[in-house]
Structure formats: structure tokens, C-alpha cells
Amino acid sequence: QVAEAVAQPLLGARRVTLVAGGSGPLGVSRLPGEILEVVCKLPTAVEALTGVSVTKVLPTPPKKEL
């Protein structure tokens, strides 16, 4: 759900310009990694801004059986 919320603004975009430096993938193949990076940084950012630990407030998702 968090990844969906982060990616949501891109749905209406007609054009996306990515600026990259260093090594790694370039172009549109970089986009999923960028979204994942934002999602991974969100809990720390929320806690720094609000003092609330997202991982402690949100319920643990149920484990899927294989």
C-alpha cells in the first residue's frame, strides 16, 4: 500500500524525467528502484518528523503460508 501511494502521482504523468549520476541502471528501468528507495526511507523520515515510530504503530501484516 505504501509503494502504491508513492507511485500514485506517476499515474497521471505524461512524461517522467529521471536524472541519475554514478553507476547502476539508467532510464525507466531505474524507476522501480527509486520508488523502493523512497518506501524504505519513509519510516525513518516519519519518525524524524513526528517522533512516531511507524513500525511500532502499524499492525504486523499476516504471514502468508507457502
Side-chain angles (χ1 to χ4, degrees), residues 2-3 6 19-21 23 25 30-45:
V2 174
V6 169
V19 178
S23 61
R30 187 179 182 112
L31 195 53
E34 295 286 333
I35 291 171
L36 182 59
E37 187 176 332
V38 170
V39 170
C40 289
K41 290 180 178 180
L42 274 176
T44 304

